[in-house]
Amino acid sequence: MQFGQFNVPCALGLGGIKVLKREGDGATPTGRFAVRYALYRPDALRPRTALPVYAIHPNDGWCDSPFDRNYNRPVKLPYPASAERLWRSDRLYDVVVVLGYNDAPRMRNRGSAIFMHIARDGFKPTEGCIALRAKDLRRLLSVLPRGCEVIVSI
């Protein structure tokens, strides 16, 4: 990942980088995505950033069911449709940056949330998100201005 002089390794989706992303394909989509806001666990360090920041709680989730009215939106758990838990035991979502992918407008089966989050050891592939070391994600957040975009290209 590169941002000005900031150049660090990152993990992308197991399905590679794709122009036409589909729900569940494990790919990271190509394109320009607005950096919307940051989420963090209150039992972890609140990130310093110019972005809007919101705390997550154990009952917070993200709907990934293409046929649900809340597809690709935050929801409260338990939720009647498929939803990913944001409060994770592996701590990968201690800090999350929500990117503007398939959110305005939302299109069924084009894939839900593309986040920037903490990478697994060894930069193992994600399910389509962008993952960085915790220290690099926090450093990036400290310099990202409001209204910026992430560009993913092949």
Side-chain angles (χ1 to χ4, degrees):
M1 169 167 268
Q2 185 175 2
F3 180 77
Q5 299 298 319
F6 184 84
N7 193 357
V8 296
C10 68
L12 298 174
L14 180 62
I17 299 173
K18 290 189 176 175
V19 173
L20 186 58
K21 169 137 181 74
R22 292 288 189 213
E23 186 69 45
D25 65 5
T28 302
T30 61
R32 298 175 75 101
F33 309 113
V35 176
R36 300 280 191 223
Y37 53 90
L39 303 171
Y40 77 101
R41 279 178 60 149
D43 60 344
L45 186 64
R46 179 186 172 109
R48 290 185 308 178
T49 183
L51 300 175
V53 179
Y54 305 98
I56 60 172
H57 300 95
N59 66 335
D60 286 331
W62 198 276
C63 181
D64 56 11
S65 176
F67 300 101
D68 190 80
R69 65 185 176 89
N70 286 314
Y71 178 53
N72 201 21
R73 289 189 177 154
V75 294
K76 293 297 180 190
L77 302 175
Y79 192 73
S82 176
E84 180 178 12
R85 181 172 298 281
L86 295 178
W87 189 281
R88 295 174 59 130
S89 61
D90 62 12
R91 308 296 296 237
L92 296 182
Y93 288 179
D94 278 10
V95 178
V96 174
V97 178
V98 178
L99 302 179
Y101 173 74
N102 195 26
D103 63 343
R106 291 171 295 147
M107 297 171 62
R108 284 189 180 148
N109 291 315
R110 289 298 300 270
S112 59
I114 300 298
F115 296 144
M116 281 194 303
H117 63 74
I118 297 169
R120 289 181 172 88
D121 289 339
F123 290 95
K124 291 182 180 136
T126 68
E127 293 180 24
C129 293
I130 302 166
L132 293 83
R133 287 184 292 239
K135 70 176 188 171
D136 293 335
L137 181 56
R138 289 182 180 284
R139 191 169 132 229
L140 178 63
L141 275 167
S142 74
V143 297
L144 283 179
R146 284 181 184 246
C148 67
E149 297 177 316
V150 169
I151 300 171
V152 176
S153 63
I154 297 175

